[in-house]
Coordinates of all heavy atoms in Angstrom, one line a residue:
L5 N -57.9 121.2 -179.4 CA -56.6 121.4 -178.7 C -55.9 122.7 -179.0 O -55.5 123.4 -178.1 CB -55.7 120.2 -179.0 CG -54.3 120.3 -178.3 CD1 -54.5 120.1 -176.8 CD2 -53.4 119.2 -178.8
Y6 N -55.9 123.0 -180.3 CA -55.2 124.3 -180.7 C -56.0 125.5 -180.1 O -55.4 126.4 -179.6 CB -55.2 124.4 -182.2 CG -54.8 125.7 -182.8 CD1 -53.5 126.1 -182.8 CD2 -55.8 126.6 -183.2 CE1 -53.1 127.4 -183.3 CE2 -55.4 127.9 -183.7 CZ -54.1 128.2 -183.7 OH -53.8 129.5 -184.2
Y7 N -57.3 125.4 -180.2 CA -58.2 126.5 -179.7 C -58.0 126.7 -178.2 O -57.9 127.8 -177.6 CB -59.6 126.3 -180.0 CG -60.5 127.5 -179.9 CD1 -60.4 128.5 -180.8 CD2 -61.4 127.6 -178.9 CE1 -61.2 129.6 -180.7 CE2 -62.2 128.7 -178.8 CZ -62.1 129.7 -179.7 OH -62.9 130.8 -179.6
S8 N -57.9 125.6 -177.4 CA -57.7 125.6 -176.0 C -56.4 126.2 -175.6 O -56.3 127.0 -174.7 CB -57.8 124.2 -175.4 OG -59.1 123.7 -175.6
V9 N -55.3 125.8 -176.3 CA -54.0 126.4 -176.1 C -54.0 127.9 -176.4 O -53.4 128.7 -175.7 CB -52.9 125.6 -176.9 CG1 -51.6 126.3 -176.9 CG2 -52.8 124.2 -176.3
M10 N -54.7 128.3 -177.5 CA -54.7 129.7 -177.9 C -55.4 130.5 -176.8 O -55.0 131.6 -176.4 CB -55.4 129.8 -179.2 CG -55.5 131.3 -179.7 SD -56.3 131.5 -181.2 CE -58.0 131.2 -180.7
N11 N -56.5 130.0 -176.2 CA -57.3 130.7 -175.2 C -56.4 130.8 -173.9 O -56.4 131.8 -173.2 CB -58.6 130.0 -174.9 CG -59.6 130.4 -176.0 OD1 -59.5 131.4 -176.6 ND2 -60.5 129.5 -176.2
L12 N -55.7 129.7 -173.6 CA -54.9 129.7 -172.4 C -53.7 130.7 -172.6 O -53.4 131.5 -171.7 CB -54.3 128.3 -172.2 CG -53.4 128.1 -171.0 CD1 -54.2 128.3 -169.7 CD2 -52.8 126.7 -171.0
A13 N -53.1 130.8 -173.8 CA -52.1 131.7 -174.0 C -52.6 133.2 -174.0 O -51.9 134.1 -173.4 CB -51.5 131.5 -175.4
A14 N -53.8 133.4 -174.4 CA -54.4 134.8 -174.4 C -54.7 135.1 -172.9 O -54.5 136.3 -172.5 CB -55.7 134.8 -175.2
L15 N -55.0 134.2 -172.1 CA -55.2 134.4 -170.7 C -53.9 134.7 -169.9 O -53.9 135.6 -169.1 CB -55.9 133.2 -170.0 CG -56.2 133.3 -168.5 CD1 -57.3 134.3 -168.3 CD2 -56.6 131.9 -168.0
I16 N -52.9 134.1 -170.3 CA -51.6 134.2 -169.6 C -50.8 135.4 -170.2 O -50.0 136.0 -169.5 CB -50.8 132.9 -169.8 CG1 -51.4 131.8 -169.0 CG2 -49.3 133.1 -169.2 CD1 -50.8 130.5 -169.2
A17 N -51.0 135.8 -171.4 CA -50.2 136.8 -172.1 C -50.1 138.2 -171.3 O -49.1 138.7 -171.1 CB -50.6 137.0 -173.5
G18 N -51.3 138.7 -171.0 CA -51.3 140.0 -170.3 C -50.5 140.0 -169.0 O -49.7 140.9 -168.8
P19 N -50.8 139.1 -168.1 CA -50.0 139.1 -166.8 C -48.5 138.9 -167.1 O -47.7 139.4 -166.3 CB -50.6 137.9 -166.0 CG -52.0 137.8 -166.5 CD -51.9 138.2 -168.0
M20 N -48.2 138.1 -168.1 CA -46.7 137.8 -168.4 C -46.1 139.1 -168.9 O -44.9 139.4 -168.5 CB -46.6 136.7 -169.4 CG -46.8 135.3 -168.8 SD -45.8 134.9 -167.4 CE -44.2 134.8 -168.1
V21 N -46.7 139.9 -169.7 CA -46.2 141.1 -170.2 C -46.0 142.1 -169.0 O -44.9 142.7 -168.9 CB -47.1 141.7 -171.3 CG1 -46.7 143.2 -171.6 CG2 -47.0 140.9 -172.5
D22 N -47.0 142.2 -168.1 CA -46.8 143.0 -166.9 C -45.7 142.6 -166.1 O -44.9 143.4 -165.5 CB -48.1 143.0 -166.2 CG -49.3 143.7 -166.9 OD1 -49.0 144.5 -167.8 OD2 -50.4 143.4 -166.5
L23 N -45.5 141.2 -165.9 CA -44.5 140.7 -165.1 C -43.1 141.0 -165.7 O -42.2 141.5 -164.9 CB -44.6 139.2 -164.9 CG -43.6 138.5 -164.0 CD1 -43.7 138.9 -162.6 CD2 -43.7 137.0 -164.2
I24 N -42.9 140.8 -167.0 CA -41.7 141.1 -167.6 C -41.3 142.6 -167.5 O -40.2 143.0 -167.2 CB -41.7 140.6 -169.1 CG1 -41.7 139.1 -169.1 CG2 -40.5 141.2 -169.9 CD1 -41.9 138.5 -170.5
R25 N -42.3 143.4 -167.7 CA -42.1 144.9 -167.6 C -41.7 145.3 -166.2 O -40.9 146.2 -166.0 CB -43.3 145.7 -168.1 CG -43.4 145.5 -169.6 CD -44.6 146.3 -170.1 NE -44.3 147.7 -170.1 CZ -45.1 148.7 -170.4 NH1 -46.4 148.4 -170.6 NH2 -44.8 149.9 -170.3
A26 N -42.3 144.6 -165.2 CA -42.0 145.0 -163.8 C -40.7 144.5 -163.4 O -39.9 145.2 -162.7 CB -43.1 144.4 -162.9
V27 N -40.3 143.3 -163.8 CA -39.0 142.7 -163.4 C -37.9 143.3 -164.2 O -36.8 143.6 -163.6 CB -39.0 141.2 -163.5 CG1 -37.7 140.6 -163.3 CG2 -40.1 140.6 -162.5
L28 N -38.1 143.5 -165.5 CA -37.0 144.0 -166.3 C -37.4 145.3 -166.9 O -37.4 145.5 -168.1 CB -36.7 143.0 -167.5 CG -36.3 141.6 -167.1 CD1 -36.3 140.7 -168.3 CD2 -35.0 141.6 -166.4
G29 N -37.7 146.3 -166.0 CA -38.2 147.6 -166.5 C -37.2 148.3 -167.4 O -37.6 148.9 -168.4
E30 N -36.0 148.2 -167.1 CA -35.0 148.9 -167.9 C -34.4 147.9 -169.0 O -33.5 148.3 -169.8 CB -33.8 149.4 -167.0 CG -34.2 150.5 -166.1 CD -34.7 151.7 -166.8 OE1 -34.1 152.1 -167.8 OE2 -35.7 152.3 -166.4
G31 N -34.8 146.7 -169.0 CA -34.3 145.7 -170.0 C -33.1 145.0 -169.4 O -32.8 145.0 -168.2
C32 N -32.4 144.3 -170.3 CA -31.2 143.5 -169.9 C -30.3 143.4 -171.1 O -30.7 143.7 -172.2 CB -31.6 142.2 -169.3 SG -32.3 141.0 -170.4
T33 N -29.1 142.9 -170.8 CA -28.1 142.8 -171.8 C -27.9 141.3 -172.0 O -27.6 140.5 -171.1 CB -26.7 143.4 -171.4 OG1 -27.0 144.8 -171.1 CG2 -25.7 143.3 -172.4
I34 N -28.0 140.9 -173.3 CA -27.8 139.5 -173.7 C -26.8 139.4 -174.8 O -27.0 140.1 -175.8 CB -29.2 138.9 -174.2 CG1 -30.2 138.9 -173.1 CG2 -29.0 137.4 -174.7 CD1 -31.6 138.5 -173.6
F35 N -25.7 138.7 -174.6 CA -24.6 138.5 -175.6 C -24.1 139.9 -176.0 O -23.8 140.1 -177.2 CB -25.1 137.7 -176.8 CG -25.5 136.3 -176.5 CD1 -26.8 135.9 -176.8 CD2 -24.6 135.4 -175.9 CE1 -27.1 134.6 -176.5 CE2 -25.0 134.1 -175.6 CZ -26.2 133.7 -175.9
G36 N -24.0 140.8 -175.1 CA -23.4 142.1 -175.4 C -24.4 143.1 -176.0 O -24.1 144.3 -176.3
Y37 N -25.7 142.7 -176.2 CA -26.7 143.6 -176.8 C -27.7 143.9 -175.7 O -28.2 143.1 -175.0 CB -27.4 142.9 -178.0 CG -26.5 142.7 -179.2 CD1 -26.0 141.4 -179.4 CD2 -26.1 143.7 -180.0 CE1 -25.2 141.2 -180.5 CE2 -25.3 143.5 -181.1 CZ -24.9 142.2 -181.4 OH -24.1 142.0 -182.4
H38 N -28.0 145.2 -175.6 CA -29.0 145.7 -174.7 C -30.4 145.6 -175.3 O -30.6 146.1 -176.4 CB -28.7 147.1 -174.2 CG -29.7 147.5 -173.1 ND1 -29.7 147.0 -171.9 CD2 -30.8 148.4 -173.2 CE1 -30.7 147.6 -171.2 NE2 -31.3 148.4 -172.0
F39 N -31.3 144.9 -174.6 CA -32.7 144.8 -175.1 C -33.6 145.5 -174.0 O -33.5 145.2 -172.8 CB -33.1 143.4 -175.2 CG -32.4 142.6 -176.3 CD1 -31.3 141.8 -176.0 CD2 -32.8 142.8 -177.6 CE1 -30.7 141.2 -177.0 CE2 -32.2 142.1 -178.6 CZ -31.1 141.3 -178.3
S40 N -34.5 146.3 -174.5 CA -35.6 146.9 -173.6 C -36.6 145.8 -173.2 O -36.6 144.7 -173.9 CB -36.3 148.1 -174.2 OG -37.0 147.6 -175.3
S41 N -37.4 146.0 -172.2 CA -38.4 145.0 -171.9 C -39.4 144.7 -173.0 O -39.8 143.6 -173.2 CB -39.1 145.5 -170.6 OG -39.8 146.7 -170.8
M42 N -39.7 145.7 -173.8 CA -40.6 145.5 -174.9 C -40.0 144.7 -176.0 O -40.6 143.8 -176.6 CB -41.1 146.8 -175.5 CG -42.1 147.6 -174.7 SD -43.7 146.6 -174.8 CE -44.0 146.5 -173.1
R43 N -38.7 144.9 -176.2 CA -38.0 144.1 -177.2 C -37.8 142.6 -176.7 O -37.8 141.7 -177.5 CB -36.6 144.7 -177.6 CG -36.8 145.9 -178.4 CD -35.5 146.3 -179.0 NE -35.8 147.5 -179.9 CZ -34.9 148.0 -180.7 NH1 -33.7 147.4 -180.8 NH2 -35.2 149.0 -181.5
L44 N -37.6 142.5 -175.4 CA -37.6 141.1 -174.9 C -38.9 140.4 -175.1 O -38.9 139.2 -175.4 CB -37.2 141.1 -173.4 CG -35.7 141.4 -173.1 CD1 -35.5 141.6 -171.6 CD2 -34.9 140.3 -173.6
I45 N -40.0 141.1 -174.9 CA -41.3 140.5 -175.1 C -41.4 140.1 -176.6 O -41.9 139.0 -176.9 CB -42.4 141.4 -174.7 CG1 -42.4 141.6 -173.2 CG2 -43.8 140.9 -175.2 CD1 -43.3 142.7 -172.7
L46 N -41.0 140.9 -177.5 CA -41.1 140.6 -179.0 C -40.2 139.4 -179.3 O -40.5 138.6 -180.1 CB -40.8 141.8 -179.8 CG -41.9 142.9 -179.8 CD1 -41.4 144.1 -180.6 CD2 -43.1 142.4 -180.4
L47 N -39.0 139.4 -178.7 CA -38.0 138.4 -178.9 C -38.6 137.0 -178.4 O -38.5 136.0 -179.1 CB -36.7 138.7 -178.3 CG -35.6 137.7 -178.4 CD1 -35.2 137.6 -179.9 CD2 -34.4 138.1 -177.6
T48 N -39.2 137.1 -177.3 CA -39.8 135.8 -176.7 C -40.9 135.4 -177.6 O -41.1 134.2 -177.9 CB -40.4 136.1 -175.3 OG1 -39.3 136.6 -174.5 CG2 -40.9 134.9 -174.7
S49 N -41.7 136.3 -178.1 CA -42.8 135.9 -179.0 C -42.3 135.3 -180.3 O -42.8 134.3 -180.8 CB -43.7 137.1 -179.4 OG -44.2 137.7 -178.2
A50 N -41.2 135.9 -180.9 CA -40.6 135.3 -182.1 C -40.0 133.9 -181.8 O -40.2 133.0 -182.7 CB -39.5 136.3 -182.6
M51 N -39.4 133.7 -180.7 CA -38.8 132.4 -180.4 C -39.9 131.4 -180.2 O -39.8 130.2 -180.6 CB -37.9 132.5 -179.2 CG -36.6 133.3 -179.5 SD -35.3 133.3 -178.2 CE -36.2 133.2 -176.7
T52 N -41.0 131.8 -179.5 CA -42.1 130.8 -179.3 C -42.7 130.5 -180.6 O -43.1 129.3 -180.9 CB -43.1 131.5 -178.4 OG1 -42.4 131.9 -177.2 CG2 -44.2 130.5 -178.0
T53 N -42.9 131.4 -181.5 CA -43.4 131.1 -182.8 C -42.5 130.2 -183.6 O -43.0 129.3 -184.3 CB -43.6 132.5 -183.6 OG1 -44.5 133.3 -182.9 CG2 -44.2 132.2 -185.0
A54 N -41.2 130.4 -183.6 CA -40.3 129.5 -184.3 C -40.4 128.1 -183.7 O -40.4 127.1 -184.4 CB -38.9 130.0 -184.2
L55 N -40.5 128.0 -182.4 CA -40.7 126.7 -181.7 C -42.0 126.0 -182.2 O -41.9 124.8 -182.5 CB -40.7 126.8 -180.2 CG -40.9 125.5 -179.4 CD1 -39.8 124.6 -179.6 CD2 -41.1 125.9 -177.9
C56 N -43.0 126.7 -182.2 CA -44.3 126.2 -182.7 C -44.2 125.7 -184.2 O -44.8 124.7 -184.6 CB -45.4 127.2 -182.5 SG -45.9 127.4 -180.8
L57 N -43.5 126.5 -185.0 CA -43.3 126.1 -186.4 C -42.5 124.9 -186.5 O -42.9 124.0 -187.3 CB -42.6 127.3 -187.1 CG -42.5 127.2 -188.6 CD1 -43.9 127.2 -189.2 CD2 -41.7 128.3 -189.2
F58 N -41.5 124.7 -185.7 CA -40.7 123.5 -185.7 C -41.6 122.3 -185.3 O -41.6 121.2 -185.9 CB -39.5 123.6 -184.7 CG -38.8 122.3 -184.6 CD1 -38.0 121.8 -185.6 CD2 -39.0 121.6 -183.4 CE1 -37.3 120.6 -185.4 CE2 -38.3 120.4 -183.2 CZ -37.5 119.9 -184.2
V59 N -42.4 122.4 -184.2 CA -43.3 121.4 -183.8 C -44.3 121.0 -184.9 O -44.5 119.8 -185.1 CB -44.1 121.8 -182.5 CG1 -45.2 120.8 -182.2 CG2 -43.1 121.9 -181.4
V60 N -44.8 121.9 -185.6 CA -45.8 121.7 -186.7 C -45.1 120.9 -187.8 O -45.6 119.9 -188.2 CB -46.4 123.0 -187.2 CG1 -47.1 122.7 -188.5 CG2 -47.4 123.5 -186.2
F61 N -43.9 121.3 -188.2 CA -43.3 120.7 -189.3 C -42.7 119.3 -188.9 O -42.7 118.4 -189.7 CB -42.2 121.5 -189.9 CG -42.7 122.6 -190.8 CD1 -42.3 123.9 -190.7 CD2 -43.6 122.3 -191.9 CE1 -42.8 124.9 -191.5 CE2 -44.0 123.3 -192.7 CZ -43.6 124.6 -192.5
A62 N -42.4 119.1 -187.7 CA -41.8 117.9 -187.2 C -42.9 116.9 -186.8 O -42.7 115.6 -187.0 CB -40.8 118.1 -186.1

Side-chain angles (χ1 to χ4, degrees):
L5 178 65
Y6 171 78
Y7 196 72
S8 299
V9 169
M10 184 182 68
N11 284 331
L12 183 64
L15 180 69
I16 294 172
M20 287 303 293
V21 168
D22 292 339
L23 179 69
I24 289 172
R25 290 181 74 188
V27 172
L28 302 170
E30 295 298 318
C32 68
T33 303
I34 301 174
F35 299 120
Y37 294 102
H38 182 74
F39 293 99
S40 67
S41 58
M42 285 290 127
R43 286 194 177 188
L44 285 172
I45 292 169
L46 289 173
L47 182 65
T48 304
S49 300
M51 290 186 328
T52 306
T53 302
L55 176 66
C56 289
L57 189 65
F58 172 75
V59 168
V60 165
F61 281 128

